[in-house]
Amino acid sequence: MDINFTRMKKNSYIVVLILFIWFVISFVTNIIGPMLPMIIKSFNLNLTLASFLPFSFFLAYGIMSIPAGIIIEKYGSKISLLIAFTFTLCGSSLFVLFPTYTIVLVSLFTIGLGMAMLQVIILPLMRESGGEKNYAFNQVLAQIVFGTASFLSPFFLSFLIQELANKSINHNFVIAFLSRITPESLPWSSLYFIFTVVFVMMILVIGSTRFPPVRLKEEEKVGTVQNYKELLKQKIVILYFFGIIAYVGTEQGLANWMSVYLNMYHGVDPATTGASVVAYFWGLMSIGCLLGLVIVKLIDSKIMLRLFSIIAIINLAVALCSPTKIAIVAFAFCGFSISIMFSVIFAIALNSVNKHHGAFSGILCTGIFGGALIPLIIGWLGDHIGLNYSICFLFLTLGYILSISFWAKPLIGNQTISIKQLFKVN
């Protein structure tokens, strides 16, 4: 009894630690969007140069997704976590020491390598630590934590910048210290020092923690080179790969450029209202994900993807063609309308092949590179035709996602029930 209680207590601690890692991943990953207009101003960048910032971060995701699976299979969860946080620590420390545009690019790429590794590592670790029976619940909990961090990060950035700008607050030790080490022209860069401290703490905590051995399921294993060759010969695999590129590109295209767009065309302050719009974008996305868990029980996932794609296209059109107040609300609600797309596309894709699911997952995760590619295209086009027109490129990515709902033919469909059955009490 005592042994079981001790094991349960230990596993609960590891689950909490994993949830905190999810919080860190979300906070660090999704702070780029609200920070982008400030970086543009600080370094006097055009849109193309600015777009290389999210490009460098998500390029790392595309590169590291498959190698991360190999690393966890070979070295286990603890060593893999330490390697991942060492990447993030090196990236943030580099910018603290040398705050320049070029170093920001290198820093974001290095942090992105670590973040990509973390996402691959903690999914099977969560299953082992929390148990198979609790895995679905813990996944939803992780989703809530992830969304909460994305929602809070822009508000924290806004608070930090306003506090640093107010010289009268130097009685606060933390803010006073940050104001002394942060270049006055780069107040947003104070976040990198905070990240550095957090990453050091995470390395110390992980180094002193014993993790359970992780036994990867077949769909979590990276597979052999032959598996990848076999899959990449299939047209359907390439089509779903482009589906993930389209989704992540849409998500990051919106998250990274909406604040810049609102600042350029509506005069919205990126440090206050602009940051809030991005925060609500992520917050509404989390709400949509949770609602999607219910909707997917009621209707076919293809129909669900079709409905949300149409709503997303309408939302984006309203955001680009409306006065300030309506545009702000529409941009925020774009988060809700794209919320279910990643999970639905991923599930339909895996259900469309009958083997090598681990290798296929790796190929799909490499499609996260879309978060690098699409914002770069928007930025480059923005310098030539204006951001108000270049952001319309997202209609193409949303159109592709919409097309999936018509041509997808999964071998196994999602099981649905009636509303009566959903709310039936035994």
Side-chain angles (χ1 to χ4, degrees), residues 209-231:
T209 301
R210 292 185 64 185
F211 293 92
V214 174
R215 295 174 293 276
L216 297 179
K217 288 185 170 184
E218 188 61 33
E219 64 268 21
E220 293 169 335
K221 294 179 180 178
V222 293
T224 64
V225 174
Q226 186 59 38
N227 294 157
Y228 288 103
K229 286 182 178 179
E230 189 176 330
L231 285 168

PDB file of all heavy atoms in Angstrom, residues 209-231:
ATOM      1  N   THR A 209      15.298  14.622 -11.115  1.00  0.00           N
ATOM      2  CA  THR A 209      14.061  13.831 -11.144  1.00  0.00           C
ATOM      3  C   THR A 209      14.302  12.479 -11.812  1.00  0.00           C
ATOM      4  O   THR A 209      15.006  12.387 -12.812  1.00  0.00           O
ATOM      5  CB  THR A 209      12.959  14.593 -11.915  1.00  0.00           C
ATOM      6  OG1 THR A 209      12.707  15.847 -11.282  1.00  0.00           O
ATOM      7  CG2 THR A 209      11.663  13.783 -11.946  1.00  0.00           C
ATOM      8  N   ARG A 210      13.717  11.435 -11.236  1.00  0.00           N
ATOM      9  CA  ARG A 210      13.758  10.105 -11.856  1.00  0.00           C
ATOM     10  C   ARG A 210      12.491   9.910 -12.667  1.00  0.00           C
ATOM     11  O   ARG A 210      11.373  10.036 -12.159  1.00  0.00           O
ATOM     12  CB  ARG A 210      13.866   9.028 -10.779  1.00  0.00           C
ATOM     13  CG  ARG A 210      15.197   9.022 -10.041  1.00  0.00           C
ATOM     14  CD  ARG A 210      15.282   7.854  -9.077  1.00  0.00           C
ATOM     15  NE  ARG A 210      15.256   6.575  -9.794  1.00  0.00           N
ATOM     16  CZ  ARG A 210      15.225   5.392  -9.176  1.00  0.00           C
ATOM     17  NH1 ARG A 210      15.191   5.333  -7.848  1.00  0.00           N
ATOM     18  NH2 ARG A 210      15.206   4.276  -9.889  1.00  0.00           N
ATOM     19  N   PHE A 211      12.658   9.587 -13.931  1.00  0.00           N
ATOM     20  CA  PHE A 211      11.530   9.409 -14.837  1.00  0.00           C
ATOM     21  C   PHE A 211      11.306   7.923 -15.104  1.00  0.00           C
ATOM     22  O   PHE A 211      12.261   7.139 -15.123  1.00  0.00           O
ATOM     23  CB  PHE A 211      11.773  10.134 -16.157  1.00  0.00           C
ATOM     24  CG  PHE A 211      11.798  11.622 -16.047  1.00  0.00           C
ATOM     25  CD1 PHE A 211      12.992  12.300 -15.831  1.00  0.00           C
ATOM     26  CD2 PHE A 211      10.632  12.358 -16.140  1.00  0.00           C
ATOM     27  CE1 PHE A 211      13.023  13.678 -15.714  1.00  0.00           C
ATOM     28  CE2 PHE A 211      10.648  13.741 -16.029  1.00  0.00           C
ATOM     29  CZ  PHE A 211      11.849  14.403 -15.816  1.00  0.00           C
ATOM     30  N   PRO A 212      10.050   7.530 -15.316  1.00  0.00           N
ATOM     31  CA  PRO A 212       9.781   6.126 -15.654  1.00  0.00           C
ATOM     32  C   PRO A 212      10.304   5.811 -17.045  1.00  0.00           C
ATOM     33  O   PRO A 212      10.375   6.700 -17.902  1.00  0.00           O
ATOM     34  CB  PRO A 212       8.248   6.041 -15.610  1.00  0.00           C
ATOM     35  CG  PRO A 212       7.788   7.424 -15.922  1.00  0.00           C
ATOM     36  CD  PRO A 212       8.810   8.335 -15.300  1.00  0.00           C
ATOM     37  N   PRO A 213      10.697   4.566 -17.295  1.00  0.00           N
ATOM     38  CA  PRO A 213      11.117   4.197 -18.661  1.00  0.00           C
ATOM     39  C   PRO A 213       9.945   4.357 -19.622  1.00  0.00           C
ATOM     40  O   PRO A 213       8.808   4.043 -19.282  1.00  0.00           O
ATOM     41  CB  PRO A 213      11.531   2.729 -18.529  1.00  0.00           C
ATOM     42  CG  PRO A 213      10.822   2.243 -17.295  1.00  0.00           C
ATOM     43  CD  PRO A 213      10.725   3.418 -16.383  1.00  0.00           C
ATOM     44  N   VAL A 214      10.233   4.884 -20.795  1.00  0.00           N
ATOM     45  CA  VAL A 214       9.187   5.126 -21.787  1.00  0.00           C
ATOM     46  C   VAL A 214       9.222   4.026 -22.837  1.00  0.00           C
ATOM     47  O   VAL A 214      10.239   3.830 -23.505  1.00  0.00           O
ATOM     48  CB  VAL A 214       9.364   6.511 -22.453  1.00  0.00           C
ATOM     49  CG1 VAL A 214       8.364   6.684 -23.592  1.00  0.00           C
ATOM     50  CG2 VAL A 214       9.187   7.619 -21.428  1.00  0.00           C
ATOM     51  N   ARG A 215       8.119   3.321 -22.957  1.00  0.00           N
ATOM     52  CA  ARG A 215       7.972   2.294 -23.989  1.00  0.00           C
ATOM     53  C   ARG A 215       7.102   2.880 -25.098  1.00  0.00           C
ATOM     54  O   ARG A 215       5.886   3.049 -24.909  1.00  0.00           O
ATOM     55  CB  ARG A 215       7.348   1.024 -23.408  1.00  0.00           C
ATOM     56  CG  ARG A 215       8.230   0.331 -22.381  1.00  0.00           C
ATOM     57  CD  ARG A 215       7.519  -0.834 -21.720  1.00  0.00           C
ATOM     58  NE  ARG A 215       6.401  -0.371 -20.895  1.00  0.00           N
ATOM     59  CZ  ARG A 215       6.544   0.061 -19.636  1.00  0.00           C
ATOM     60  NH1 ARG A 215       7.749   0.080 -19.073  1.00  0.00           N
ATOM     61  NH2 ARG A 215       5.501   0.461 -18.941  1.00  0.00           N
ATOM     62  N   LEU A 216       7.729   3.195 -26.203  1.00  0.00           N
ATOM     63  CA  LEU A 216       7.005   3.837 -27.299  1.00  0.00           C
ATOM     64  C   LEU A 216       6.058   2.868 -27.979  1.00  0.00           C
ATOM     65  O   LEU A 216       6.400   1.715 -28.230  1.00  0.00           O
ATOM     66  CB  LEU A 216       7.993   4.392 -28.329  1.00  0.00           C
ATOM     67  CG  LEU A 216       8.944   5.498 -27.856  1.00  0.00           C
ATOM     68  CD1 LEU A 216       9.856   5.907 -28.989  1.00  0.00           C
ATOM     69  CD2 LEU A 216       8.178   6.693 -27.322  1.00  0.00           C
ATOM     70  N   LYS A 217       4.842   3.345 -28.259  1.00  0.00           N
ATOM     71  CA  LYS A 217       3.902   2.559 -29.054  1.00  0.00           C
ATOM     72  C   LYS A 217       4.350   2.559 -30.508  1.00  0.00           C
ATOM     73  O   LYS A 217       5.200   3.363 -30.917  1.00  0.00           O
ATOM     74  CB  LYS A 217       2.491   3.170 -28.958  1.00  0.00           C
ATOM     75  CG  LYS A 217       1.827   2.974 -27.609  1.00  0.00           C
ATOM     76  CD  LYS A 217       0.406   3.508 -27.676  1.00  0.00           C
ATOM     77  CE  LYS A 217      -0.384   3.104 -26.437  1.00  0.00           C
ATOM     78  NZ  LYS A 217      -1.789   3.529 -26.534  1.00  0.00           N
ATOM     79  N   GLU A 218       3.760   1.675 -31.283  1.00  0.00           N
ATOM     80  CA  GLU A 218       4.141   1.555 -32.690  1.00  0.00           C
ATOM     81  C   GLU A 218       3.974   2.876 -33.428  1.00  0.00           C
ATOM     82  O   GLU A 218       4.821   3.269 -34.239  1.00  0.00           O
ATOM     83  CB  GLU A 218       3.288   0.471 -33.362  1.00  0.00           C
ATOM     84  CG  GLU A 218       3.735   0.127 -34.771  1.00  0.00           C
ATOM     85  CD  GLU A 218       5.157  -0.417 -34.833  1.00  0.00           C
ATOM     86  OE1 GLU A 218       5.587  -1.093 -33.872  1.00  0.00           O
ATOM     87  OE2 GLU A 218       5.840  -0.137 -35.827  1.00  0.00           O
ATOM     88  N   GLU A 219       2.870   3.602 -33.116  1.00  0.00           N
ATOM     89  CA  GLU A 219       2.611   4.856 -33.812  1.00  0.00           C
ATOM     90  C   GLU A 219       3.499   5.990 -33.327  1.00  0.00           C
ATOM     91  O   GLU A 219       3.490   7.088 -33.902  1.00  0.00           O
ATOM     92  CB  GLU A 219       1.134   5.259 -33.672  1.00  0.00           C
ATOM     93  CG  GLU A 219       0.678   5.570 -32.264  1.00  0.00           C
ATOM     94  CD  GLU A 219       0.119   4.331 -31.566  1.00  0.00           C
ATOM     95  OE1 GLU A 219       0.434   3.207 -32.002  1.00  0.00           O
ATOM     96  OE2 GLU A 219      -0.626   4.502 -30.589  1.00  0.00           O
ATOM     97  N   GLU A 220       4.282   5.753 -32.253  1.00  0.00           N
ATOM     98  CA  GLU A 220       5.184   6.783 -31.738  1.00  0.00           C
ATOM     99  C   GLU A 220       6.630   6.552 -32.180  1.00  0.00           C
ATOM    100  O   GLU A 220       7.473   7.426 -31.997  1.00  0.00           O
ATOM    101  CB  GLU A 220       5.121   6.817 -30.207  1.00  0.00           C
ATOM    102  CG  GLU A 220       3.789   7.281 -29.662  1.00  0.00           C
ATOM    103  CD  GLU A 220       3.641   7.073 -28.165  1.00  0.00           C
ATOM    104  OE1 GLU A 220       4.312   6.181 -27.606  1.00  0.00           O
ATOM    105  OE2 GLU A 220       2.849   7.803 -27.540  1.00  0.00           O
ATOM    106  N   LYS A 221       6.910   5.378 -32.743  1.00  0.00           N
ATOM    107  CA  LYS A 221       8.268   5.078 -33.177  1.00  0.00           C
ATOM    108  C   LYS A 221       8.545   5.726 -34.527  1.00  0.00           C
ATOM    109  O   LYS A 221       7.658   5.831 -35.372  1.00  0.00           O
ATOM    110  CB  LYS A 221       8.469   3.565 -33.266  1.00  0.00           C
ATOM    111  CG  LYS A 221       8.385   2.875 -31.907  1.00  0.00           C
ATOM    112  CD  LYS A 221       8.572   1.370 -32.042  1.00  0.00           C
ATOM    113  CE  LYS A 221       8.484   0.691 -30.671  1.00  0.00           C
ATOM    114  NZ  LYS A 221       8.621  -0.776 -30.776  1.00  0.00           N
ATOM    115  N   VAL A 222       9.791   6.144 -34.716  1.00  0.00           N
ATOM    116  CA  VAL A 222      10.112   6.908 -35.918  1.00  0.00           C
ATOM    117  C   VAL A 222      10.115   6.052 -37.179  1.00  0.00           C
ATOM    118  O   VAL A 222       9.916   6.557 -38.288  1.00  0.00           O
ATOM    119  CB  VAL A 222      11.492   7.607 -35.783  1.00  0.00           C
ATOM    120  CG1 VAL A 222      11.441   8.662 -34.720  1.00  0.00           C
ATOM    121  CG2 VAL A 222      12.591   6.599 -35.474  1.00  0.00           C
ATOM    122  N   GLY A 223      10.346   4.765 -37.033  1.00  0.00           N
ATOM    123  CA  GLY A 223      10.344   3.894 -38.205  1.00  0.00           C
ATOM    124  C   GLY A 223      11.699   3.877 -38.909  1.00  0.00           C
ATOM    125  O   GLY A 223      12.603   4.635 -38.596  1.00  0.00           O
ATOM    126  N   THR A 224      11.824   3.007 -39.912  1.00  0.00           N
ATOM    127  CA  THR A 224      13.068   2.856 -40.653  1.00  0.00           C
ATOM    128  C   THR A 224      13.061   3.750 -41.893  1.00  0.00           C
ATOM    129  O   THR A 224      12.026   4.290 -42.284  1.00  0.00           O
ATOM    130  CB  THR A 224      13.250   1.395 -41.097  1.00  0.00           C
ATOM    131  OG1 THR A 224      12.185   1.062 -42.013  1.00  0.00           O
ATOM    132  CG2 THR A 224      13.199   0.447 -39.904  1.00  0.00           C
ATOM    133  N   VAL A 225      14.241   3.890 -42.489  1.00  0.00           N
ATOM    134  CA  VAL A 225      14.357   4.678 -43.716  1.00  0.00           C
ATOM    135  C   VAL A 225      13.453   4.085 -44.803  1.00  0.00           C
ATOM    136  O   VAL A 225      12.816   4.814 -45.568  1.00  0.00           O
ATOM    137  CB  VAL A 225      15.823   4.711 -44.196  1.00  0.00           C
ATOM    138  CG1 VAL A 225      15.923   5.399 -45.554  1.00  0.00           C
ATOM    139  CG2 VAL A 225      16.704   5.422 -43.174  1.00  0.00           C
ATOM    140  N   GLN A 226      13.366   2.767 -44.827  1.00  0.00           N
ATOM    141  CA  GLN A 226      12.525   2.096 -45.816  1.00  0.00           C
ATOM    142  C   GLN A 226      11.054   2.450 -45.632  1.00  0.00           C
ATOM    143  O   GLN A 226      10.316   2.627 -46.610  1.00  0.00           O
ATOM    144  CB  GLN A 226      12.705   0.570 -45.711  1.00  0.00           C
ATOM    145  CG  GLN A 226      11.982  -0.218 -46.794  1.00  0.00           C
ATOM    146  CD  GLN A 226      12.425   0.165 -48.200  1.00  0.00           C
ATOM    147  OE1 GLN A 226      13.599   0.425 -48.451  1.00  0.00           O
ATOM    148  NE2 GLN A 226      11.466   0.220 -49.126  1.00  0.00           N
ATOM    149  N   ASN A 227      10.620   2.593 -44.350  1.00  0.00           N
ATOM    150  CA  ASN A 227       9.242   3.000 -44.063  1.00  0.00           C
ATOM    151  C   ASN A 227       8.942   4.360 -44.679  1.00  0.00           C
ATOM    152  O   ASN A 227       7.885   4.577 -45.290  1.00  0.00           O
ATOM    153  CB  ASN A 227       8.997   3.075 -42.558  1.00  0.00           C
ATOM    154  CG  ASN A 227       9.078   1.727 -41.865  1.00  0.00           C
ATOM    155  OD1 ASN A 227       9.321   1.652 -40.672  1.00  0.00           O
ATOM    156  ND2 ASN A 227       8.889   0.645 -42.619  1.00  0.00           N
ATOM    157  N   TYR A 228       9.889   5.296 -44.510  1.00  0.00           N
ATOM    158  CA  TYR A 228       9.702   6.650 -45.049  1.00  0.00           C
ATOM    159  C   TYR A 228       9.656   6.637 -46.573  1.00  0.00           C
ATOM    160  O   TYR A 228       8.823   7.317 -47.185  1.00  0.00           O
ATOM    161  CB  TYR A 228      10.825   7.580 -44.561  1.00  0.00           C
ATOM    162  CG  TYR A 228      10.709   7.948 -43.104  1.00  0.00           C
ATOM    163  CD1 TYR A 228      11.518   7.352 -42.149  1.00  0.00           C
ATOM    164  CD2 TYR A 228       9.774   8.885 -42.671  1.00  0.00           C
ATOM    165  CE1 TYR A 228      11.406   7.675 -40.808  1.00  0.00           C
ATOM    166  CE2 TYR A 228       9.654   9.220 -41.334  1.00  0.00           C
ATOM    167  CZ  TYR A 228      10.473   8.607 -40.407  1.00  0.00           C
ATOM    168  OH  TYR A 228      10.351   8.931 -39.076  1.00  0.00           O
ATOM    169  N   LYS A 229      10.544   5.866 -47.179  1.00  0.00           N
ATOM    170  CA  LYS A 229      10.556   5.775 -48.643  1.00  0.00           C
ATOM    171  C   LYS A 229       9.234   5.227 -49.166  1.00  0.00           C
ATOM    172  O   LYS A 229       8.678   5.724 -50.153  1.00  0.00           O
ATOM    173  CB  LYS A 229      11.701   4.875 -49.094  1.00  0.00           C
ATOM    174  CG  LYS A 229      13.084   5.504 -48.964  1.00  0.00           C
ATOM    175  CD  LYS A 229      14.159   4.554 -49.480  1.00  0.00           C
ATOM    176  CE  LYS A 229      15.535   5.198 -49.401  1.00  0.00           C
ATOM    177  NZ  LYS A 229      16.598   4.277 -49.874  1.00  0.00           N
ATOM    178  N   GLU A 230       8.741   4.206 -48.482  1.00  0.00           N
ATOM    179  CA  GLU A 230       7.483   3.584 -48.896  1.00  0.00           C
ATOM    180  C   GLU A 230       6.320   4.566 -48.777  1.00  0.00           C
ATOM    181  O   GLU A 230       5.456   4.649 -49.664  1.00  0.00           O
ATOM    182  CB  GLU A 230       7.231   2.347 -48.029  1.00  0.00           C
ATOM    183  CG  GLU A 230       6.076   1.484 -48.506  1.00  0.00           C
ATOM    184  CD  GLU A 230       5.921   0.217 -47.684  1.00  0.00           C
ATOM    185  OE1 GLU A 230       6.954  -0.272 -47.173  1.00  0.00           O
ATOM    186  OE2 GLU A 230       4.784  -0.267 -47.542  1.00  0.00           O
ATOM    187  N   LEU A 231       6.295   5.327 -47.698  1.00  0.00           N
ATOM    188  CA  LEU A 231       5.212   6.287 -47.482  1.00  0.00           C
ATOM    189  C   LEU A 231       5.282   7.447 -48.477  1.00  0.00           C
ATOM    190  O   LEU A 231       4.254   7.877 -49.017  1.00  0.00           O
ATOM    191  CB  LEU A 231       5.273   6.831 -46.047  1.00  0.00           C
ATOM    192  CG  LEU A 231       4.787   5.891 -44.943  1.00  0.00           C
ATOM    193  CD1 LEU A 231       5.168   6.427 -43.573  1.00  0.00           C
ATOM    194  CD2 LEU A 231       3.277   5.692 -45.023  1.00  0.00           C
TER     195      LEU A 231
END
